[in-house]
Amino acid sequence: MDILIERADGVLTITLNRPDKKNAITAAMYQEMADAFFEAEKDASVRVVLLRANGGSFSAGNDLEDFMKAPSMDRDAPVLQFLRRISTAPKPLVAAVAGAAVGVGTTMLLHCDLVYAASTAKFSMPFVQLGLCPEAASSLLLPRIAGYQRAAEKLLLGEAFDANEAMNMGFVNRIVDAEAVDALALAQAKKLAALPASSLRMSKSLMKGADAREIAERIAEEAGHFGKMLTAPEAREAFQAFFEKRKPDFSRFE
Ligand code: COA
């Protein structure tokens, strides 16, 4: 099973469990995660959602084989269901990140409340490198969190950066050794789970409420462009180059 769901002590844990593909996320995995968020919203015994991964990498982002099939970016597409759930989750979300966090592996963190990173964490948003554009409202959230130039460097060049830089940018709370990151995130999640759920919901909603509509609109706007760019020759060249283990050649495109 590529996604594992576990409930204990008020914490619903979603584990990315496709280590042989560095936890690249397929449409089926987005759907399972979206459904888990929906369950978490309905189930009063769930106080907090914890996102983590098995195998030493958080996620290599969207599955590039899926991208080659030019999946729908309609409102009901699994990825958009997932983004809607994570961006509107009323309960606190805690993430534990180790190793690679590529593309949505990084942008999903912008929607989490507490993010704990291992010193091995490596973040990147190589959308432009793939002939694509930012998603998950990262074009809105990252400049707000990190400042425009820092966001532009990460979103335009797409190069990987480490946990220290992510913490300085403002979307990582704390960095610990790789062996300690899951335990820390779980301990923090359990602390939240013991607090009054209604106070947590109200506090989160007060912090996030004013931006909610803008975020939803930006996710939809980005998805419209992203869907078209997936079938453009630049992206096809980038995906093929990845699987052929070579550098893409964009020189023939205007
Ligand atoms: N989609 C599909 N398969 C992927 C994948 C992805 N996003 N990322 C990695 N894989 C697969 C590789 O094809 C490889 O499969 P194989 O063993 O059958 O050849 C396996 O996972 C291991 O990947 P590999 O590249 O050998 O691992 P690495 O440790 O050298 O590098 C990454 C790890 C994550 C840095 C690298 O795999 C990578 O850059 N992946 C693509 C990330 C990406 O562009 N995501 C989309 C963002 S929008």
Side-chain angles (χ1 to χ4, degrees), residues 20-22 24 60-65 67 100 102-103 126-127 130 242-243 245:
D20 55 321
K21 298 290 178 188
K22 307 281 171 187
N62 204 105
D63 186 279
L64 290 174
E65 282 189 32
F67 268 173
V102 186
F127 303 114
L130 292 168
F242 176 75
F243 288 114
K245 300 190 190 295

Side-chain angles (χ1 to χ4, degrees), residues 68 233 235-246 252:
M68 299 263 260
R236 315 312 289 175
E237 163 62 9
F239 304 152
Q240 250 160 18
F242 176 75
F243 288 114
E244 289 166 11
K245 300 190 190 295
R246 62 171 171 82
R252 65 184 185 278

Side-chain angles (χ1 to χ4, degrees), residues 93-166:
L93 307 183
V94 181
V97 184
V102 186
V104 74
T106 291
T107 59
M108 74 168 83
L109 304 173
L110 307 178
H111 298 281
C112 294
D113 302 288
L114 304 178
V115 178
Y116 296 103
S119 46
T120 57
K122 250 198 154 59
F123 304 88
S124 60
M125 291 164 281
F127 303 114
V128 173
Q129 290 180 352
L130 292 168
L132 301 169
C133 67
E135 39 73 299
S138 55
S139 64
L140 177 74
L141 293 172
L142 200 64
R144 277 194 187 165
I145 295 169
Y148 179 77
Q149 275 76 9
R150 287 202 284 188
E153 186 180 57
K154 302 313 172 203
L155 285 172
L156 299 184
L157 282 175
E159 291 169 350
F161 52 101
D162 66 13
N164 273 312
E165 212 176 330

Side-chain angles (χ1 to χ4, degrees), residues 19-117:
D20 55 321
K21 298 290 178 188
K22 307 281 171 187
N23 294 318
I25 305 175
T26 60
M29 291 162 74
Y30 283 123
Q31 188 66 58
E32 281 181 59
M33 291 195 286
D35 293 346
F37 273 108
F38 184 58
E39 288 303 314
E41 275 178 37
K42 284 192 312 186
D43 183 345
S45 72
V46 173
R47 303 296 190 103
V48 181
V49 177
L50 173 63
L51 272 166
R52 61 173 299 282
N54 281 342
S57 297
F58 184 64
S59 174
N62 204 105
D63 186 279
L64 290 174
E65 282 189 32
D66 269 17
F67 268 173
M68 299 263 260
K69 296 179 207 145
S72 147
M73 286 288 150
D74 292 347
R75 209 186 126 70
D76 289 333
V79 61
L80 287 167
Q81 289 186 44
F82 167 71
L83 293 179
R84 206 150 52 238
R85 293 278 170 217
I86 197 169
S87 61
T88 61
K91 298 179 185 180
L93 307 183
V94 181
V97 184
V102 186
V104 74
T106 291
T107 59
M108 74 168 83
L109 304 173
L110 307 178
H111 298 281
C112 294
D113 302 288
L114 304 178
V115 178
Y116 296 103

